[in-house]
Amino acid sequence: MKSAVVVFPGSNCDRDAARALERMTGAAPAMVWHKDTELPQGTDLVVLPGGFSYGDYLRSGAMAARSPVVRAVAAHADRGGLVLGICNGFQVLTEARLLPGALTRNTGLRFVCREVPLAIANANTAFTRAYREARDTVIPVAHGDGRFVADESALDRLEGEGRVVFRYLNNPNGSARDIAGIVNDRGNVMGMMPHPERASDAALGRLGGAPVFQSLLEAA
Amino acid sequence: MSLDPIAPGTLALAEEFGLSRDEYNLVLEKLGRTPNVTELGIFSVMWSEHCSYKSTRVHLAKFPTKAAHVIYGPGENAGAIDIGEGLAAIFKMESHNHPSFIEPFQGAATGVGGILRDVFTMGARPIALMNALRFGAPEHPKTRKLVDGVVSGISFYGNCVGVPTVGGETNFDARYNGNILVNVFCLGIAPRDKIFTSAAKGANNPVVYVGAKTGRDGIHGATMASAEFVEGDDSQRPTVQVGDPFLEKLLIEACLELMETDAIIGIQDMGAAGLTSSSIEMASKGGAGIELDLDAVPAREEGMTPYEFMLSESQERMLMVLKPGREHEAKRIFDKWGLDAAVIGTTTDSGNLTLRWHGEIVCDLPLGPLADEAPRYERPYVAPLKAIPLTEGEQGRLVSEYPGFAASLTKLMSSPDMASKRWIWEQYDRHVMGDTVADSGSDAAIVRLYPGPRALAMTCDVTPRYVEADAYGGGKQAVAEAWRNLSAVGARPLAVTDNLNFGNPQRPEIMGQIVHAIEGMAEACRALAFPVISGNVSLYNETDGKAILPTPAIGGVGILDTLERRASADALAVGDVLALIGESAGHLGQSLYARELIALGGAAPPVDLAAEKKNGDFVRGLISDGLVRAAHDLSDGGLACAAAEMALASDVGIALGYQGDLADAAFLYGEDQARYLIAVKGAALPELEQRARAAGIDFLIVGEAGGNEISFLGASGKRDGISLKTLRETHEEWLPSYMSKAR
């Protein structure tokens, strides 16, 4: 599988994502600078990593959604390529309208870094197949703007179409219907607030996110 | 403040700037003329306590600072040690106390920014942050707002920059009501042979400024940080700087990228006293001179004077001296990261700091008097009084008023100092960078050296009430506890950084605390082969003449050769046997139990450094041989609180028992030093006992793991316990419940 990680100047989980990809797929991803207008030829998977894209003083992901590289990511998604947005990457994907809804300030108004239990709401996506029979997992979150919101009809549609992929078992941020991760209607773009790249390393004793990468490896 | 930059600097102005009459006269003598306003401003910050360490320098020299693995000891931006495999660990702790009291959010945030710069300035990528916080009494009207602001500020800055905040400590005491302490620690990793320093050797090299534009913020911050507060006076608020963590992140990446070339001769962050101290530091260390053109300095505001340019403490700025002709290379990297940069001067061979502004020379000062020849004081001091030991009657009360195991443990575990600080550390990103093995809640945080198996362990420690009761012994204890916390996770302790927080050194009794605490720390550092490689001093932590508790905070760092052989407090398993390592005399003076339950003080526990060394080496050996399942150091709250923390962290109950000479309260809550609680599989017990006997180590079986409560069977003959669920609720509830009244 050929993967790429987008690097905004304020990305801070770009290296972590690259390590996880290398560990899980056996190949180092291409690091793509935010000013680049194209992804490397033959890219199967693009990861938009966590962090604070351009400082995010305006609205998380708002400026990044208008960056040159995100236009290339949108074109990649249009072609059916795989896109995984983690945390700030999820925020960027909603701002870029590649995913519905928005991520707003946590209801507690505070940043929250915690290992959270998640239900795997749909194990039949390109991002979750490797969870197989598992019904839940534990992956850490670390965000201030993680409350997923959308209007009721959009939420109904997401649920009706099985596009809610991860759900909080103990909602840390007030997200509507406990939503922690969703896919687009084609199923090739996923955004999630929890950090699977932080839970894919046996040496750190956290492996709850590893199946996300295993799934992608199988899918690509 | 708009002052004519070249008007004569008068005594009145000098006093306003924080210089004494004698110091002003010394300036005149050194210069042989009257300085102008700009020059006087520069003298006043360079001679401030914050920049010159004038009250403590002679005593700081007592610290052991050398060892085979020490690359840079005190004197650089941060200390550096060799950790093998071609790597150096670079770390330091620094205070941002005064700004954080005035403006807690920005004060704490910029504290984090400053310590990060100290570390990456030396070529290290920061990989871990910690913080040691002291607030006033919970019931004090300002405390809640200060906790909220400080924690939010640290969270805001550290999380955005993307360096994990992996540990720290938080205490409350009325003695910090008017002066909170915000001490921040940062550790970074650099190639052993690629460490950068500030020395700007050689003349005619370009001086390059990069980062935020200079504004009027933070002018005379270093002077503020060297003065006492007066209650109700908020006039210093404008001297607090504003932080931009995104810009800091860009600076880190850009500087580290430029450091991969060989274009840099010297590099220095602009911290306290901004452009003044950075330029003087670089030129004086390099044995050169420096000439700056202030019209070239990127300015945020119109009409700034030389005085304002030089004294501004605008954040996120770096100064560097490049090899001639390499400016374009640097510019290309700065452009990539979207950073403003400008060539603002050159190095010279004049030995002077020369400033041009609007075509005129507005400052021309010899570097010597500003830096190396700054005043040093041997301030008069008196030996601090030791706290009076508990009387026999008081000793009796400690025993007779013991309310039983469950009641006393509940009370202590929910007291402000012992209660869970989860509300704080869940606001910090502890996992970014993907190498955090153990964080808040562990005796020492553990960060892997990617790709492993080696890892660094780090901890922040001091017990201010011990230092207050016995400055020398308390200084020793702070070092010993850091060393013990590292040993408890299985790490080999390597070196320390310190952050000495005290009151007004011009009061002989305060100066006595400083001197004695330093001497105690120095003795412990020598005995434990634990050199001091960097540090910071924060004095004048007083309001209306009332000083804080003496707080010499220690940041200790150690190394684990392999993550496979480490211990943690959360690994207890059903059936494990609990053993207490180290001698228990039941010392309750200055214990948390005495303070929280009986409202008594007394003498601090004695510190036997030989016992510390022996017991710590023993426990570390057990861990590295894989004999220990879980380990925890004994400190505040003694054995019972250590056991409770272990049980809660592992979610496994513990049945404690004791039949011996000590009273139950003394056995459970005594704070004798040099002790560890370890958990071993039953099958490992014979080997453990045999090894303890052979090494001459005090060793006592104190309980067994299992069930869902923590209980104790003592002299009464009746087992008394509390369910983990109930204990957890009360332990976890205190801080969130306290803070929920904040809004």
Side-chain angles (χ1 to χ4, degrees), chain A residues 80-159:
Chain A
L82 292 166
V83 179
L84 169 60
I86 302 168
C87 197
N88 188 227
F90 187 10
Q91 295 163 344
V92 174
L93 290 174
T94 59
E95 286 286 344
R97 311 314 302 165
L98 289 171
L99 288 172
L103 292 146
T104 58
R105 196 83 187 128
N106 297 348
T107 39
L109 302 179
R110 296 183 184 280
F111 192 97
V112 58
C113 174
R114 182 187 296 166
E115 298 205 41
V116 296
L118 297 169
I120 295 140
N122 185 351
N124 190 28
T125 74
F127 302 88
T128 49
R129 269 186 203 112
Y131 280 104
R132 307 196 199 279
E133 302 304 307
R135 313 184 75 164
D136 46 55
T137 187
V138 176
I139 303 179
V141 293
H143 57 247
D145 295 338
R147 179 163 60 104
F148 182 76
V149 294
D151 60 46
E152 288 300 313
S153 63
L155 292 169
D156 289 344
R157 196 173 151 214
L158 281 172
E159 302 212 83

Side-chain angles (χ1 to χ4, degrees), chain B residues 523-584:
Chain B
E523 187 198 337
C525 287
R526 267 192 304 274
L528 299 170
F530 206 22
V532 176
I533 64 160
S534 58
N536 171 245
V537 179
S538 171
L539 304 179
Y540 299 95
N541 292 290
E542 296 202 6
T543 297
D544 297 335
K546 281 208 306 243
I548 57 163
L549 287 176
T551 312
I554 295 287
V557 173
I559 193 159
L560 280 156
D561 293 324
T562 169
L563 280 172
E564 298 285 308
R565 293 296 163 89
R566 69 176 196 274
S568 61
D570 62 2
L572 187 67
V574 175
D576 283 355
V577 174
L578 288 139
L580 179 61
I581 303 291
E583 191 183 354
S584 301

